[in-house]
């Protein structure tokens, strides 16, 4: 049935904006043809010839058209047969009842022409009829009257079609569909290949979502005990962690109609469209209930209301949100329609949206830990031809802070790198290169760089490496390179511990290591450069966070100026000018102290620093082993994380 409907729709001629152009062009052509109408007016002649014919008594009638200054000449019957007038018979394609003129000519000044005409006709025995008239072209007038309207309507239709996105591509009814929801429907007939098997890790989230599917499939199981089916679930987490993927898996497994759309699909230039789309969406979903609605990036409409007083133009979004709130839990409560929404900005969502009864459940989808990363690698390595002894534990350890999307990207990039090198299978090195590339950008081996700049970069990176090697809490080093990559000229790669809580000494050690680059330049060349910009940015941000967010400064004390409920447009500082001054002083004191600490460390190890920089200049890339050769084994042994038992399923 649905298919048939689709077919008939497709068979209809598609309305295209080009039709409007076609119609306009046709009208213009018509206008040209009919307004011109030259062939009806006879042969062109000159005034002197005309007076000659007049004197000969050939002229029966003269029509003087005043506005166009044209005179039309009608010959007598006898004259028409004369040899000289042989070609003057008007030829028309349209047979006309009225007689058509034989000649026409422009007479110039009317007064002069009239005088001459009168003088000539006075001498004639049979006087021709002389008529004066003004000529109007009806077609011109008509066209001039309606053309602006046609143009206006054309432009309007064109804009409407553009704005409604032409997504449906259907017939001209697009303009009237603007208030309809743009949700894509997946049901039994549409094949969604994603299943829960494709979602690695995320056990908790998966369980919750699976339960939602269960609610819809077997509602009695829950309602017989008096429970109510939840109305909605909100998937919250950083980008790329698999929220959309999870929803896709629901669509693939639920076997109930699944409406999918993005928050921005509600937004349109016209007032009231968003709300009407929400209504339409829920209407459709209710018709097909039990069903699921999935709204991706819900923050596009779900942003807290009334906070953007400045712009004043956000009523439309608020209306949309209000409509969504009422549809989810208003008087006309829906049965068996579950809304799943995803966002990475839960903090800016309206509280009313998150209250129980609407999005009853908030499912946190966090960045994966080592074990989850391994599982994600397993999923994405499935389609790849890889080396047999590929160490997945190693790969997942090398990718701290990577999201699921990053890992998918690493796998793909590794396959591309292997293909570029003409390999038969993707090996460990390809994966490491892919990780480097994703973190640092593309290698630029032939970037133009002077020897002295290269030396500065080498010492800068060696400074980072040396300081971090000497500090207990700095992240362990993996490698140091001075091959330009992305926007940086060199880099030291670390493998940060995945800490859940951070202590101040850990933060300070990291800041000291970050300042090691500039300190090395100062110690060796007694000069500093702009090369430390990104280090300084990082350090400043961290110091500010220590003081104003985490309450880690003695002078400011145990307080925070961070407000999780505040909108992002806060322009007023929650502290006095004096405190602002104190904060600034405290930040620069923290940074300065760490800088001095780095300088001192490097002064004491100047020879080792120089040795490392020389090796780096020679090899361009050095690893942990090279450092161990120079500095000896690192004294600080990393605390092993408490391993969780594997969940056996
Ligand atoms: P978001 O959380 O931003 O909606 P997506 O769900 O769109 O992220 O994830 C993007 C891609 O990342 C997915 O298409 C998938 O390839 C990969 N991905 C993310 N998380 C996972 C996961 N847990 N398991 C497998 N693949 C994942």
């Amino acid at each position: 049935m649905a298919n048939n409907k689709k077919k008939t729709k497709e068979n209809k001629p598609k309305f295209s904006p080009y039709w409007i152009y076609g119609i306009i062009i046709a009208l213009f052509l018509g206008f040209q043809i009919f307004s011109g109408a030259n062939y009806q007016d006879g042969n062109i002649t000159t005034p002197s010839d005309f007076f000659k014919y007049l004197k000969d008594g050939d002229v029966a009638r003269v029509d003087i058209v005043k506005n166009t200054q044209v005179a039309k000449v009608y010959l007598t019957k006898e004259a028409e047969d004369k040899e000289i007038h042989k070609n003057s018979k008007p030829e028309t394609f349209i047979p006309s009842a009225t007689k058509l003129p034989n000649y026409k000519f422009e007479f110039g000044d009317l007064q002069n022409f009239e005088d001459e005409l009168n003088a000539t006709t006075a001498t004639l025995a049979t006087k021709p009829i002389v008529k004066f008239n003004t000529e109007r072209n009806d077609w011109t007038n008509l066209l001039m009257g309606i053309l602006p309207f046609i143009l206006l309507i054309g432009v309007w239709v064109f804009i409407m079609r553009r704005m409604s996105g032409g997504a449906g591509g259907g017939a001209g009814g697009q303009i009237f569909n603007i208030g309809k929801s743009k949700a894509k429907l997946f049901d039994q007939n549409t094949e969604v290949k994603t299943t829960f098997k494709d979602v690695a890790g995320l056990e908790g989230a998966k369980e919750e979502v699976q339960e939602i599917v269960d609610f819809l499939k077997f509602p009695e199981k829950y309602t017989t005990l008096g429970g109510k089916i939840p109305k909605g679930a909100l998937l919250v987490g950083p980008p790329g962690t698999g929220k959309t993927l999870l929803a896709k898996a629901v669509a693939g497994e639920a076997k109930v109609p699944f409406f999918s759309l993005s928050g921005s699909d509600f937004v349109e230039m016209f007032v009231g469209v968003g709300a009407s789309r929400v209504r339409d969406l829920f209407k459709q979903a209710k018709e097909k209930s039990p069903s699921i609605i999935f709204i991706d990036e819900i923050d596009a409409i779900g942003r807290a209301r009334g906070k953007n007083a400045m712009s004043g133009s956000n009523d439309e979004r608020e209306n949309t949100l209000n409509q969504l709130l009422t549809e989810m839990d208003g008087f006309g409560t829906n049965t068996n329609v579950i809304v799943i929404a995803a966002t990475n900005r839960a903090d800016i969502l309206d509280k009313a949206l998150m209250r129980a009864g609407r999005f009853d459940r908030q499912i946190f989808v966090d960045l994966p830990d080592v074990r989850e990363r391994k599982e994600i690698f397993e999923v994405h390595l499935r389609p790849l031809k890889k080396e047999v002894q590929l160490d997945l534990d190693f790969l997942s350890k090398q990718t701290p802070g990577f999201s699921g999307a990053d890992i998918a990207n690493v796998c793909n990039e590794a396959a591309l790198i292997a293909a570029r090198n003409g390999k038969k299978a993707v090996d460990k090195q390809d994966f490491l290169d892919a990780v480097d590339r994703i973190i640092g950008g593309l290698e630029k081996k032939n970037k133009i760089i002077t020897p002295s700049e290269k030396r500065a970069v080498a010492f800068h990176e060696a400074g980072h490496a040396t300081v971090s090697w000497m500090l207990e809490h700095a992240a362990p080093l993996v490698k140091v390179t001075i091959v330009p990559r992305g926007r940086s000229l060199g880099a030291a790669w670390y493998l940060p511990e995945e800490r859940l809580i951070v202590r101040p000494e850990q933060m300070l050690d990291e800041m000291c290591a970050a300042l090691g680059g500039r300190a090395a330049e100062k110690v060796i060349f007694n000069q500093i450069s702009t090369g430390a910009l990104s280090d300084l940015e990082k350090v400043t941000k961290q110091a500010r966070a220590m003081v104003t967010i985490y309450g880690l400064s003695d002078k400011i004390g145990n307080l925070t100026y961070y407000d999780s409920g505040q909108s992002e447009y806060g322009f007023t500082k929650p502290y006095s000018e004096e405190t602002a001054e104190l904060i600034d002083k405290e930040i620069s004191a923290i940074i300065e102290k760490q800088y001095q600490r780095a300088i001192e460390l490097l002064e004491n190890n100047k020879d080792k620093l120089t040795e490392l920089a020389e090796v780096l200049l020679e090899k361009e890339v050095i690893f942990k082993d090279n450092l161990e050769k120079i500095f000896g084994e690192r004294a600080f042994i990393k605390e092993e994380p408490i391993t969780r038992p594997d969940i056996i399923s």
Side-chain angles (χ1 to χ4, degrees), residues 199-269:
V199 187
L202 309 178
E203 272 100 17
K206 234 165 37 178
E207 244 167 62
E208 296 242 4
V209 180
Q210 259 164 332
E211 202 178 48
I212 289 174
V213 175
D214 219 35
F215 280 138
L216 289 177
K217 277 190 176 162
F218 315 104
E220 314 81 42
K221 186 171 144 193
Y222 300 88
T223 48
T224 46
L225 295 178
K228 277 199 203 108
I229 288 178
K231 298 242 176 53
L234 187 65
L235 298 168
V236 185
T241 42
K243 299 182 291 294
T244 315
L245 186 72
L246 210 53
K248 262 195 224 163
V250 173
E253 302 241 348
K255 304 279 181 271
V256 296
F258 186 94
F259 294 86
S260 164
L261 78 171
S262 157
S264 59
D265 286 343
F266 292 111
V267 185
E268 196 68 70
M269 225 177 92

Side-chain angles (χ1 to χ4, degrees), residues 198-202 237-246 248 296-297 342 344 365 376 379-380 403-406 408:
D198 298 306
V199 187
L202 309 178
T241 42
K243 299 182 291 294
T244 315
L245 186 72
L246 210 53
K248 262 195 224 163
D296 209 352
E297 318 292 354
N344 40 41
V365 183
I376 299 175
V379 168
H380 290 284
S403 67
D406 290 331

Side-chain angles (χ1 to χ4, degrees), residues 386-395 425-428:
K386 59 215 169 269
E387 225 183 15
V388 186
Q389 66 275 31
L390 195 65
D391 185 356
L392 283 187
D393 287 309
F394 173 77
L395 285 183
V426 193
D427 62 25
K428 183 174 150 187

Side-chain angles (χ1 to χ4, degrees), residues 434-474:
V435 171
D436 285 0
R437 182 175 168 178
I438 283 164
I439 299 176
L442 203 61
E443 247 185 26
K444 291 182 186 147
K445 282 221 164 91
N446 38 15
K447 192 167 184 152
I448 296 167
I449 179 167
T450 63
S452 68
E453 275 173 339
K454 191 147 198 150
R455 216 175 152 68
V457 173
F459 274 95
H460 183 104
E461 298 308 334
H464 284 307
T466 311
V467 175
S468 63
W469 194 264
M470 306 259 161
L471 295 177
E472 179 175 355
H473 301 293

Side-chain angles (χ1 to χ4, degrees), residues 157-193:
V157 168
F158 185 69
I159 290 175
M160 291 291 262
R161 285 185 54 80
R162 272 291 151 97
M163 271 186 314
S164 53
Q174 276 272 341
I175 320 158
F176 308 106
N177 281 338
I178 200 150
K180 294 263 159 68
S181 116
K182 289 183 174 181
K184 253 198 226 135
L185 174 64
F186 300 93
D187 51 18
Q188 286 89 335
N189 305 329
T190 33
E191 214 180 312
V192 181
K193 291 209 180 90

Side-chain angles (χ1 to χ4, degrees), residues 19-86:
W19 285 18
I20 295 163
Y21 301 142
I23 292 169
I24 291 172
I25 290 169
L27 282 174
F28 264 112
L29 281 180
F31 164 70
Q32 284 297 329
I33 291 167
F34 288 104
S35 71
N38 288 336
Y39 56 87
Q40 293 186 17
D41 288 354
N43 282 355
I44 295 172
T45 183
T46 58
S48 55
D49 281 345
F50 162 71
F51 283 113
K52 207 174 111 231
Y53 304 150
L54 191 64
K55 279 175 196 152
D56 292 349
D58 291 349
V59 178
R61 191 177 121 198
V62 188
D63 283 356
I64 297 169
V65 187
K66 282 193 280 188
N67 61 327
T68 51
Q69 295 184 328
V70 169
K72 295 179 185 168
V73 184
Y74 299 80
L75 297 181
T76 56
K77 267 234 157 61
E78 304 79 58
E80 270 187 348
D81 299 332
K82 282 189 187 170
E83 185 59 26
I84 51 164
H85 299 306
K86 206 175 70 188

